[in-house]
Amino acid sequence: MEAHWMVYWFMLPACIVIAATAMATGISGTAMLTPFLILAFPLLSVPLLTTGQAIGMALFTEFFGFISGVIGYHQKKLIDYRAAKKLLMVSIPTIIIFSLVSQYVPGLLMKIIYGIMMLGLAIYLGISAPGTVRNPKIKVLPEMVKRAPKQGTCEERVLTASDGKKYQYEFCDQMSGKLMTGIGAAMEGLISVGLGEFEMPHLVKQCKIPVAISAGISVFVIAVTVLAGSMTAIATLIKNEGVHSIPWNLIVYTIPGAVIGGQIGSRYQGRLSSETMERFISVLFFFIGIAFLFTSLQAIRH
C-alpha cells in the first residue's frame, strides 16, 4: 500500500517548477503538466493515465496552483476584478462545454488534436512575443482616451499596488477580447491549455494593459475558469468510470507542488523578461506538439 502512494513522488518537485513558471509568465500550467503526464510517464515506467484522466487531473491541479497565485497577486493588489468578471462571463460556459466534449473524444485523436494545437500556440506566441512587454509601466495619454474603439466601450482604470506604484490604463470591453477568451477557454477545456496563452498577450499587446495587471487578471480568470472545467471533467470521469478512475495517489503530490510553485512564481513576476520567457515557451510548445504528433503516428503504424 505504501508503494502505491509513493509511486508518483517525483511529481512534487516537477509541479513546483511547472507552477512557478506558469505564475511568473501568466500562462496555463497545464501547458507543461499535461504533456508531462502523457509523454513522460511511459518513459518513467509508472502507472499510465488515459488522455481524459491526464487532462482532468491537470486542470484540477492547475486550479490549486493558480488560486495560490491569485492570493499572491491579490496581496500585491494587482488584480482588476471588474475586468476579470467580464472575461469570466465568456470563459466559464465555454470551458464547461468543451470539457464535456474532451471526455468523449478517443485518446489517439485527442493526442493528434493536442499536437496540432500546441504547434498553433507555438506560432501564436512566437508572433506575439516581440514587443509584448517593452513598457511595463504604461500610462494612459490624453489621445489614447479619446480614441475609443469601434466596438465595445472603454473605461479608464487606476490601480494602486501594495508597494504604492500606480498603474493607469484603459480596459476595453471589445468583441475581439471576448473572442480570444472564448477560443482560449475552448482549448483549455478540450486539451487543458490555451486560455492563458491567448489571454496574456491580448491583454498586454492589444489592450495595452500593464504587464503586472495583465498577469493578475489572467491568473484570476484562469483559476476560476479551470475550476469549472476540472469539476466538469472529474464529474464526467466518475460518472463514466467510477471513483477509482481518479488517481488520488498522484493528486497528493501535484496539488502541494502547484501551491508552492504558485507562491514562488507570483513573487518573482516581473523580475524575468516576459519576452524571453514567451520565446522559450513558444519553442517548448513547438517540440511538445511535434512529440505528440510523432507518438500518435507511431501508435497508428502499430
Side-chain angles (χ1 to χ4, degrees):
M1 193 68 174
E2 283 187 24
H4 171 73
W5 286 100
M6 290 296 294
V7 68
Y8 294 119
W9 67 267
F10 57 90
M11 289 305 299
L12 178 62
C15 281
I16 290 175
V17 174
I18 290 171
T21 303
M23 284 302 105
T25 58
I27 68 164
S28 301
T30 49
M32 294 167 280
L33 180 57
T34 302
F36 189 85
L37 295 175
I38 295 175
L39 298 178
F41 274 23
L43 303 177
L44 297 173
S45 300
V46 296
L48 305 183
L49 304 179
T50 66
T51 304
Q53 283 178 314
I55 291 174
M57 293 311 98
L59 285 174
F60 190 56
T61 300
E62 183 181 30
F63 165 71
F64 287 92
F66 271 83
I67 202 64
S68 175
V70 166
I71 294 172
Y73 279 103
H74 176 76
Q75 290 173 341
K76 294 165 74 172
K77 298 182 179 179
L78 291 174
I79 302 177
D80 185 338
Y81 288 103
R82 287 190 296 166
K85 181 180 178 181
K86 292 182 181 295
L87 299 175
L88 287 171
M89 292 175 67
V90 176
S91 64
I92 290 177
T94 303
I95 196 171
I96 289 174
I97 293 170
F98 282 87
S99 291
L100 287 171
V101 172
S102 70
Q103 297 302 314
Y104 295 98
V105 177
L108 181 58
L109 177 58
M110 185 64 73
K111 288 181 180 180
I112 295 173
I113 293 173
Y114 201 109
I116 294 172
M117 288 189 170
M118 288 298 276
L119 289 177
L121 276 175
I123 296 171
Y124 176 78
L125 284 176
I127 295 173
S128 300
T132 298
V133 291
R134 299 279 183 196
N135 184 5
K137 299 178 182 178
I138 298 174
K139 300 293 183 181
V140 177
L141 301 176
E143 59 266 28
M144 290 176 65
V145 177
K146 293 177 182 178
R147 276 191 281 115
K150 294 181 180 180
Q151 297 182 20
T153 57
C154 289
E155 297 179 22
E156 184 177 342
R157 303 285 176 84
V158 178
L159 281 185
T160 302
S162 59
D163 60 2
K165 186 183 298 182
K166 288 189 176 182
Y167 295 88
Q168 188 178 12
Y169 59 96
E170 281 188 328
F171 176 77
C172 297
D173 185 18
Q174 295 177 278
M175 185 57 67
S176 60
K178 293 177 180 178
L179 178 62
M180 296 300 287
T181 299
I183 293 174
M187 291 183 64
E188 195 80 30
L190 191 61
I191 63 171
S192 77
V193 58
L195 183 56
E197 290 72 21
F198 276 91
E199 202 73 76
M200 185 68 177
H202 178 77
L203 290 173
V204 176
K205 197 170 184 181
Q206 273 70 50
C207 297
K208 308 298 182 185
I209 296 176
V211 174
I213 305 298
S214 293
I217 294 172
S218 180
V219 166
F220 182 74
V221 170
I222 291 170
V224 178
T225 303
V226 298
L227 175 61
S230 64
M231 290 297 98
T232 302
I234 289 174
T236 306
L237 278 172
I238 293 176
K239 179 183 176 182
N240 293 341
E241 303 176 35
V243 178
H244 67 275
S245 64
I246 307 300
W248 304 107
N249 58 337
L250 171 65
I251 294 173
V252 295
Y253 295 107
T254 60
I255 290 178
V259 172
I260 296 169
Q263 285 297 305
I264 294 173
S266 62
R267 289 177 183 273
Y268 284 90
Q269 192 281 326
R271 299 189 186 185
L272 302 173
S273 168
S274 294
E275 183 176 346
T276 300
M277 290 295 289
E278 283 190 15
R279 288 190 180 279
F280 166 75
I281 291 169
S282 68
V283 173
L284 176 64
F285 284 7
F286 176 80
F287 283 107
I288 289 175
I290 293 297
F292 267 96
L293 293 177
F294 178 73
T295 55
S296 298
L297 182 60
Q298 282 190 319
I300 292 173
R301 286 180 175 177
H302 290 87

